[in-house]
Structure formats: C-alpha cells, structure tokens
Amino acid sequence: MQLIIANNYEDMSKKASKLLISRIKDTIPLNLGLATGSTPVGLYKELVTEYANGNLDFEHTRTFNLDEYIGLSPYNPNSYSYYMWKHFFSHINIRKENIHIPPGIFANEQKVIDDYEEAIVQAGGIDLQVLGIGANGHIGFNEPGESLSVSTHIVELKSETIKANSRFFENKDEVPKKAITMGMGKIMEAKEILLLASGKEKAKALAQTVKGIVETHCPSTILQIHPNVKIIADKEASFLIADRIRASNNCILFSSDRMEQYG
Ligand code: F6R
C-alpha cells in the first residue's frame, strides 16, 4: 500500500489525474472502475480539462461505476448516473456502449446483478479502480457489518451514510435507503486501486485503512491485502497518520511496492 500526501483537495485531484492520464495513455483498452461522491469531482474536472486541451482520448476506455441508489432513474439529478454524465461523460469522447453503471430501477434483481458481473468479466476485469471512502470505512456501498459480499449486491445503507449523503438532497428523507454496489470481492480483483480521501472527517477511516486491523466492520481495511493500492490523501484526511510520513518526499510505503511519484 502506497500513501501519497497531497497539500489539499486540488493537489489530490491533480495527483490522481496524473496517474489516470498515464494509465489512459498506456493501457489500451483500459477498464476503469469509477466512484462518485464529492471526492472525485476535482479528478473528473482535471481529466475533462486534459481532454479539452487535446491531451487525452477516451475512445478505448471502458468504465464501470461502483454503485447506484435504488429507486433513482438516470434522469434524477441525485442519481450517480446523472452525476457521471454531468461531471465526466458528457464532456469526453467515451463511447456510450463502453459506460457501465448499475441501474437504480429494475424488474429483475438477480439479472441486473448477473449482467453487471458478466460485463466486467467479459471486459477482462478492471485495470484501475478509483475509490472514495466513507467516514465509516465503506467502499462503494459495502457498508461495515458482520460480513462482506464478493459480488454486486443490494445493500441497506447505514444511517451514518444516509446522514452524510443527505448534503446532496433537499432533505434527509429523500436519501434512498438502499443501493446497488459492486462487491468487495470484485473491487479487490481490480489490478490496481486508487483510493482518494479528502477532509478531516475521513481521517479516522483512513488511519484504520492503512494501519488498523483488517476487519469487516471497516471494509476499507481489506485493501491492506491488495497487492497494488495507492492512496492519495490530502493533509486533513491524513493528519492521524502524519507521524508515519517521511518528510523527504511526502510518500510512505506500507509494503515493498515500488515507489512512484505523481506530482
Ligand atoms: C460512491 C462511493 C462511495 C463514496 C463515499 C465517499 O460511488 O463509492 O463509497 O466514495 O461515500 O463519498 P464522498 O466522496 O462524497 O465523501
């Protein structure tokens, strides 16, 4: 696990975009796992700017989003599908057929799950998975609990997640209580994982992620046993682990991974 400390949100987004740009340029086709929420907005903005400047081509990029709220259609401004088009897809040359987002409205739950899993398998698996992190350590919508799921599944959102996400809705009652999410198993199958964390409310979860006991009550701790995880966190998110950061290069390795710098 490699942790890269960014000065602030903008710096985190820039560092993350550098990594994605190099993968988009070098891996053809690239299967990109994507997250929503406030954390990756700056990353998408950077990528859109690079595209607008003629430096990026998404012709051969396929995307797989982590999750969607149950009951929200892609036309609902609070849906993750809407978010992705608003912040990213509408501004780049990605092919529509290469975009995969689990649907929030469906008739046959098992078919939706099977189709999503199959689409990832058919594509050859995810090359790079971008993740945010919940203050309770959730990844995608894999919430803390007694166990974790391997595959795509429907989850009941925890009250703290509903509360945290209510900032995007008119009021808390509008936040869907359920979501469909890629399972922790599928996320762990990604060849490379990039976790982004910004803000002091993520500090506890981030500290647990990098040095806590690996346990289902903090799903992000499972990332410790993935062979290729990079975390880009701003200073606020990493203040509880700052003592472990080498002052020389703002980069610390928690395993024997090769060190790379992004910015
Ligand atoms: C969203 C997702 C979630 C978020 C997490 C943090 O697709 O996968 O796990 O990454 O809830 O959300 P923000 O970035 O809004 O703090």
Side-chain angles (χ1 to χ4, degrees):
M1 191 175 262
Q2 182 180 339
L3 174 64
I4 298 152
I5 306 299
N7 290 324
N8 49 38
Y9 180 80
E10 287 68 33
D11 190 30
M12 177 198 76
S13 305
K14 280 202 163 64
K15 284 180 163 58
S17 74
K18 281 190 185 175
L19 189 146
L20 262 82
I21 289 164
S22 86
R23 299 299 182 264
I24 291 163
K25 287 185 171 169
D26 295 348
T27 312
I28 295 175
L30 179 73
N31 296 335
L32 201 49
L34 294 176
T36 56
S38 52
T39 309
V41 170
L43 163 64
Y44 295 138
K45 200 168 157 221
E46 292 289 332
L47 293 176
V48 166
T49 302
E50 281 299 308
Y51 173 75
N53 291 339
N55 300 329
L56 265 187
D57 180 10
F58 292 90
E59 171 77 18
H60 302 291
T61 303
R62 302 179 192 126
T63 62
F64 295 88
N65 264 78
L66 284 167
D67 41 21
E68 180 58 282
Y69 287 117
I70 297 292
L72 301 195
S73 85
Y75 305 105
N76 186 315
N78 283 314
S79 73
Y80 285 166
S81 185
Y82 193 98
Y83 166 108
M84 287 308 303
W85 284 92
K86 178 178 165 194
H87 292 291
F88 197 30
F89 299 147
S90 301
H91 311 287
I92 59 172
N93 68 328
I94 190 163
R95 287 170 180 263
K96 206 167 173 229
E97 62 270 26
N98 286 345
I99 294 170
H100 304 83
I101 304 174
I105 296 178
F106 45 80
N108 186 334
E109 178 178 319
Q110 196 53 52
K111 183 168 171 2
V112 161
I113 288 170
D114 293 345
D115 287 353
Y116 206 62
E117 292 284 309
E118 186 57 22
I120 298 172
V121 171
Q122 284 301 320
I126 290 170
D127 296 304
L128 172 60
Q129 176 67 57
V130 177
L131 298 174
I133 182 171
N136 65 1
H138 73 227
I139 291 291
F141 274 134
N142 293 276
E143 293 278 38
E146 293 298 311
S147 61
L148 291 171
S149 299
V150 174
S151 312
T152 302
H153 59 288
I154 311 289
V155 284
E156 298 266 351
L157 298 177
K158 294 274 179 194
S159 57
E160 62 264 25
T161 300
I162 291 171
K163 193 170 162 217
N165 289 2
S166 65
R167 67 191 195 278
F168 300 111
F169 292 77
E170 293 251 308
N171 66 66
K172 198 173 150 225
D173 297 334
E174 279 183 28
V175 186
K177 310 282 179 291
K178 287 184 178 182
I180 179 167
T181 182
M182 217 185 267
M184 239 13 244
K186 191 56 77 190
I187 292 168
M188 289 291 282
E189 280 176 23
K191 294 183 189 81
E192 182 175 20
I193 290 178
L194 172 64
L195 174 74
L196 302 179
S198 171
K200 60 181 184 325
E201 55 287 345
K202 303 294 174 68
K204 194 163 160 252
L206 188 65
Q208 265 187 284
T209 306
V210 299
K211 59 179 188 174
I213 292 166
V214 176
E215 54 149 344
T216 59
H217 292 281
C218 184
S220 55
T221 57
I222 313 297
L223 299 176
Q224 286 179 26
I225 58 174
H226 188 285
N228 191 6
V229 176
K230 290 177 183 68
I231 299 174
I232 305 181
D234 65 14
K235 282 185 176 155
E236 286 194 346
S238 51
F239 86 93
L240 288 174
I241 39 177
D243 56 319
R244 299 188 59 169
I245 297 162
R246 263 187 263 145
S248 59
N249 54 13
N250 266 355
C251 187
I252 185 167
L253 296 179
F254 287 87
S255 73
S256 57
D257 296 344
R258 194 166 62 86
M259 195 181 306
E260 291 173 79
Q261 287 291 334
Y262 299 96

